[in-house]
Amino acid sequence: MQGRVNRLFKKELGFESPQKCRAAPCEAELEIGQMPLTEPANKNLDAKPKDIEPIDYENVLIQKKAQIFSDPLRDMLLFPNEDFQIRILKRHGRTLSSTVPENARKEAHSLLVTECIRTYNSDWHLIHFKYEDYSGDFRQLPNKTPRPEKLPVHIFEVDEDVDKDEDTASLGSQKGGITKQGWLYKGNMNSAISVTMRSFKRRFFHLTQLGDGSYILNFYKDEKISKEPKGSIFLDSCMGVVQNNKIRRFAFELKMQDKSSYLLAAESDQEVEEWIGSLNKILQSTFEAAMQEKRNGESLEISDDELPGQGKSEHATSWESLHSDLTKSAREIETKKNEGRLKLFVLDADTQKLDFSGVEPDVKPFEEKFGKRFLVKCNDLSFNLQSCVAENEEGPTTNVEPFFVTLALFDIKNSRKISADFHVDLNHPSVRQMFSNSASIMNGGDGLATSQKNVNGIPESMLQYPKQGVFSVTCPHQDIFLVARVEKVLQGGITQCAEPYMKSSDSAKVAQKVLKNAKQACSRLGQYRMPFAWAARPVFKDNQGTLDKSARFSALYRQDSNKLSNEDLLKLLLDFRKPEKMSKLPVILGNLDVNIDNVASDFLSCVNSSYIPVKRFENGTKVTVTHEVEEFVPCIAKLSQPFTTYNNHFYVYPKHLKYDSQKSFAKARNIAVCIEFRDCDEEDSQPLKCIYGRPGSPVFTRHAFAMVLHHHQNPEFYDEIKVELPTQLHEKHHLLFTFYHVSCDSSSKGTTKKKETIESQVGYAWLPLLKDGRVVTNENQIPVSANLPVGYLSYQELGMGKHSGPEIKWVDGAKHIFKVATHLVSTIYTQDQHMDNFFQYCQKCDSGAQASGTELVKFLKSLHAMESHVMINFLPTILNQLFRVLARATQEDVAVNVTRVLVHIVSQCHEGLEHYLRSYIKFVFKTEPCNSSKCKTVHEELAKSMTVLLKTTADFLTCNKLLKYSWFFLEALIKSMAQHLIETSKLKLFRNQRFPASYQHTVETLVNLLMPHITQKYKDKPEEARNANHSLAVFIKRCFSLMDRGFVFKQINNYMKWFSPGNPKTLFELKFEFLGVICNHEHFIPLNLPMLFGKGRVQRYQDLQLDFTLADDFCKNHFLVGLLLREVGSALQEYRDVRQIAISVLKSLMIKHTFDDRYTAKSHQARIATLYLPLFGLLLENVQRVNVKDCSPFPMNQSSNKRRVTVQFTNREHHGDSAEARKHP
């Protein structure tokens, strides 16, 4: 309270800066934004400020340990214990159980497969800084006080309806309070000036009551009290009023709580009595109110004789005796008055701006991401031929034969199939009974009851007849179609079988005939399919992924046996929106009812493409299980994402068989292809049960058949066979294709022997899965053999008609007459030879082979040719392996080349995929434990390699990329350092013992090498320079939590040495951005040690310089705040834009102190204020350089460029009216 009185009253007293007194009068008035015409004679703008060596922070803490621990605010001087820690977050996936098979880790032998599985099984490892929320800009502080929508209303005397009758000496306010006004003489009580008659000045005084009930005594130069007063005296700090006639007649004195006093004088004895009486009434009412509050709170009673009397001397004595009670009451009143008051910076416009420029992006762990997802629900497939299929003719009317639907997405814009097949069986249960027991085991069934088996905890029966599928499209657009292919049991030619469905007359007789033929076909050829019809419908209305829910499937078009391939289908879809062309296609009378809809966020009972249940799965006999259908995402980097789950699917597509020239078999027309996956070529080997079955068959089968074309010697196929690959592949794994001639003759004539011969083998083909250690993909042309000898995989042509391995009888002279395509969707195997070769060589070195640095460098360099999408897909696994090689490197060349590869990968990922790198650093990156003294660490080797790259002038491209993406490498250094300290238990050591001197030297070298790049490339490579500058600032800021803080101070000094006065604006921006980041450290206050370093007792003015002026000792002891204030002072000598940059950084920091909820107490704020006391002298020295336009948060009227702003800190009273007239023309 007394502080406020003193500040306001000093406005009337004569305090003036010596610098201001020496300044030329003309410098007091400046145009807005105008530079002064002259500079001080002793100011050299080109002189670089003297470098201040910071204190040895760690030693100071030891030396002043007693002073620090005895300080009641020692929390402001010390870093908190356990400032950071390692946090391990459980990896949570979408599925109920891990996607990695139980025995996968044991089965895996390949380094790549092992590391991929480790990646998908690992939890998240992150370094948690306890007070990280306080390490950003003031806008990012937790619990930041929002600006109130409506400020509290304060009532001033000019707002009150008061009777201004000048003849009335005392009037009552609307609140019933006391008011008085009149002329008095005010004495100057400045201790430096003796109080004489001349020091009294005549002023008009106005006594009034404020809105909170307290009283204020304002004084003016004249009776116009609507103007701003010359000064104010708050009477709630007044202890008593006594007469004092020693200096002047009719004088009286107001004694304040801080033992100061105000001397006033009236013009007559009557006026003195009136003023003293009014003031005493106010003081007594204030005292009574305080005592009443005290009685209410403490149940204390004060008798009437204890109240102060009205006499002058008795009054003074009584007030002095109750000094302690009044002090307490004054505090309570002050607390009450402070309720609802806002901190000054809350009203600043900058605190409410939504500026996210300095906000670090929100980093999340890796997760499975999908494109536009939608649900496909298959309801019904019905044709015009309907009948009851039951023998007793009791039952519903249904289709007269079974049909099978396969759905898939096609992108005609990019001419590709973009999803796996989704197989649906919409047949009525009575129709399914048409298959005989012998033929019902289709697609590799083993004849055993499968309803009791579980697949990933789900009864197999729940998965056998899916009707709902969830599709995903990464790049939705209008030219994506959902295509349905309809198949039926093999009977004959497509045209012949479709003819009854294309007529609308006499359907009952036709239906019975078709039913009879269908029953015979199902009993004989139930496991063979033939193509029948197709239909399509658009999926999206636009390119934003809006579903076209109103669209329906087109008519069912009859399949053309010569246009079955996906390529032919894509050509037909190009004309889909052309009615004139689609009308020429033959139509089968029927309807396919399929709905599409958006997928709800709380969707239940869903399994992924590997039949692993997704969370929120419900078991039950009546539950409809929804299957997720795999999307074939284009191999483009921007559409790729890091793999997070185990997936190992292999898709096989038989394409074409050219058998018209073969002479090995008499009959080979209705050709069926059986696909098997085997792991050896021995005589008794069995196919693996890893092929996904069709509806109605077991979930996994041993073989699958492609559809059959009647009477075609060169058949085409469109089937897709999905295989679950084993975790570890070897050279014996292969696909075996067996070709059969299927007899479609269903005549009852002939011998029993002929009837039993339904199929006969007409050839074999095989495709080894691995070639050069990688899975074979894309199209392959392979020969067909007439026999299958033991050890057929070992057959190898040697040339000149010779071969090795068993004798094989080739069909058609060993020509490559069978075309098959394969597609790998795996998160543990790669098609990229460069990545595969690198991991193979690393595995060779890990197994004990002599590692060659030259060979390793060769494989490292080859990684630059790695495909971008592969790099993204396997990002965590690749980076983990590279950091592992870096830490184990025995040669500098190896470490440098590892860093080069890292730079290349990071630069590739920054094409819109930077968030993946941030997720890796925060959640995945983890250094290997280092227990021996000889063991190398990632941070040591990486820092050394970075210094080598920054020195290398020849490889400027890599150097520029390193600068541009330096954040990744510097954050890796920080995380490696933090993990090293925790895992080796070095956090308990003194800071200067945590890291070896060699590493500190490397860090210092790194800072010194970065600086010339930053300060010299800011013109040619502005992005590189800015990124490197910001990343270096964040790195040094984080080092305060890990390293010797005195050493970190020195690195800041090393940084500052590269700047000097007169630099271009960009360099000033870089420098102050750096300082802003550093000063935003969460423990900025303890880093500045806000305590006294000088003598305990102040006896001379010089004793204040150590702690309260911007002297060298202050800058040394309070290094960061001293450095910032010095740089702001230097910037104030520059042009306007630079001044604004500097003031903005300082202002932001002070706003942050205001809103920091750790320092809300007055004692905290007062201690922080001591760090900024030199700011007053700094502003006074540069007052002519700080104009309203530079720093005012309020809008300015720009209507006149000639408007002048007068900056005045002198006492208008002290200089007299003539001085005021000169300064306010």
Side-chain angles (χ1 to χ4, degrees), residues 892-950:
E892 182 183 282
D893 197 24
V894 172
V896 170
N897 275 280
V898 169
T899 310
R900 289 179 191 272
V901 176
L902 288 171
V903 172
H904 172 70
I905 292 175
V906 170
S907 65
Q908 292 293 310
C909 291
H910 268 77
E911 302 299 326
L913 305 172
E914 178 187 349
H915 55 284
Y916 291 144
L917 293 171
R918 295 194 180 275
S919 296
Y920 171 79
I921 286 293
K922 184 171 183 177
F923 295 99
V924 180
F925 174 73
K926 183 181 184 302
T927 58
E928 292 184 336
C930 181
N931 299 321
S932 64
S933 57
K934 296 182 180 179
C935 181
K936 297 180 180 179
T937 60
V938 169
H939 54 270
E940 290 175 336
E941 296 305 309
L942 182 58
K944 289 178 186 177
S945 301
M946 291 175 67
T947 58
V948 173
L949 290 178
L950 291 171

Side-chain angles (χ1 to χ4, degrees), residues 125-266:
H125 296 264
L126 62 157
I127 299 298
H128 174 66
F129 291 89
K130 188 175 180 181
Y131 294 91
E132 189 172 12
D133 290 343
Y134 297 89
S135 64
D137 185 70
F138 67 87
R139 299 177 182 89
Q140 304 162 46
L141 285 173
N143 305 318
K144 176 176 172 289
T145 305
R147 182 175 182 174
E149 296 181 1
K150 188 175 182 180
L151 296 178
V153 178
H154 293 278
I155 301 175
F156 298 94
E157 59 272 17
V158 295
D159 300 321
E160 295 182 353
D161 187 14
V162 197
D163 186 2
K164 295 184 179 180
D165 187 2
E166 296 181 0
D167 297 332
T168 305
S170 179
L171 298 172
S173 69
Q174 288 181 346
K175 297 181 178 293
I178 300 172
T179 62
K180 184 174 177 58
Q181 56 187 5
W183 288 94
L184 292 174
Y185 292 90
K186 180 182 67 65
N188 192 338
M189 297 301 294
N190 188 355
S191 58
I193 306 172
S194 59
V195 181
T196 62
M197 287 288 292
R198 291 187 177 183
S199 66
F200 279 86
K201 295 188 179 294
R202 192 169 184 263
R203 292 289 177 258
F204 188 80
F205 279 78
H206 180 222
L207 174 64
T208 186
Q209 187 178 16
L210 297 177
D212 60 358
S214 62
Y215 285 85
I216 188 172
L217 186 60
N218 295 321
F219 49 94
Y220 306 83
K221 286 187 63 177
D222 50 35
E223 297 181 10
K224 297 178 181 179
I225 60 175
S226 60
K227 294 183 179 180
E228 182 182 357
K230 301 290 292 181
S232 302
I233 302 174
F234 290 89
L235 296 183
D236 52 4
S237 296
C238 183
M239 299 293 296
V241 184
V242 295
Q243 267 192 314
N244 187 348
N245 295 322
K246 295 180 181 179
I247 301 176
R248 185 184 177 110
R249 288 183 64 193
F250 313 127
F252 58 96
E253 189 175 356
L254 278 67
K255 293 188 175 182
M256 311 304 289
Q257 288 181 10
D258 60 354
K259 298 185 179 180
S260 62
S261 60
Y262 297 103
L263 192 60
L264 306 175

Side-chain angles (χ1 to χ4, degrees), residues 597-653:
D597 201 353
N598 294 303
V599 179
S601 58
D602 56 348
F603 199 73
L604 300 176
S605 302
C606 189
V607 295
N608 70 0
S609 58
S610 298
Y611 292 164
I612 300 175
V614 178
K615 291 177 179 177
R616 298 178 61 85
F617 188 89
E618 293 183 353
N619 271 317
T621 55
K622 296 183 179 180
V623 173
T624 301
V625 177
T626 304
H627 293 237
E628 290 183 348
V629 183
E630 201 144 50
E631 179 188 7
F632 299 149
V633 182
C635 296
I636 304 172
K638 67 179 181 179
L639 301 180
S640 302
Q641 59 176 307
F643 293 141
T644 58
T645 59
Y646 179 99
N647 191 15
N648 204 21
H649 293 155
F650 190 62
Y651 292 89
V652 183
Y653 304 91

Side-chain angles (χ1 to χ4, degrees), residues 287-480:
F287 177 78
E288 289 176 348
M291 289 301 101
Q292 184 62 39
E293 289 183 7
K294 185 176 181 181
R295 291 189 195 100
N296 295 337
E298 301 178 7
S299 300
L300 295 179
E301 296 182 357
I302 301 178
S303 59
D304 292 339
D305 57 356
E306 291 176 349
L307 294 175
Q310 297 299 319
K312 300 174 184 177
S313 59
E314 292 179 1
H315 174 81
T317 305
S318 61
W319 277 92
E320 290 172 0
S321 65
L322 296 173
H323 178 274
S324 59
D325 290 336
L326 275 175
T327 303
K328 185 174 181 180
S329 300
R331 289 174 183 168
E332 293 174 353
I333 294 172
E334 180 70 15
T335 303
K336 185 176 180 181
K337 289 178 64 177
N338 285 335
E339 292 179 0
R341 288 189 177 180
L342 300 175
K343 295 179 179 179
L344 177 63
F345 281 117
V346 173
L347 305 178
D348 193 291
D350 288 346
T351 62
Q352 308 303 322
K353 290 180 180 177
L354 296 178
D355 180 12
F356 299 104
S357 57
V359 179
E360 294 294 332
D362 187 20
V363 182
K364 297 181 179 179
F366 292 121
E367 59 183 2
E368 279 188 277
K369 294 182 180 178
F370 300 94
K372 172 62 180 180
R373 282 160 58 92
F374 58 93
L375 175 68
V376 175
K377 186 177 181 180
C378 303
N379 301 314
D380 183 49
L381 172 64
S382 59
F383 291 94
N384 66 323
L385 293 181
Q386 299 276 313
S387 181
C388 178
V389 299
E391 293 291 341
N392 56 7
E393 297 186 357
E394 291 182 2
T397 300
T398 63
N399 292 328
V400 294
E401 59 180 320
F403 293 94
F404 310 94
V405 180
T406 301
L407 298 168
L409 293 175
F410 285 81
D411 181 353
I412 63 173
K413 183 179 179 180
N414 298 297
S415 300
R416 56 188 300 270
K417 183 172 182 274
I418 61 172
S419 79
D421 286 344
F422 178 49
H423 302 284
V424 182
D425 183 349
L426 297 175
N427 296 303
H428 191 273
S430 61
V431 177
R432 293 172 187 164
Q433 296 298 322
M434 293 174 64
F435 296 103
S436 66
N437 292 332
S438 59
S440 64
I441 306 165
M442 300 171 292
N443 296 323
D446 52 13
L448 300 175
T450 59
S451 59
Q452 302 302 319
K453 293 183 180 180
N454 283 348
V455 178
N456 298 315
I458 305 173
E460 193 169 14
S461 58
M462 294 179 64
L463 302 172
Q464 286 184 321
Y465 292 100
K467 289 188 177 182
Q468 293 184 169
V470 174
F471 288 79
S472 175
V473 179
T474 299
C475 299
H477 55 80
Q478 291 175 291
D479 293 329
I480 291 177

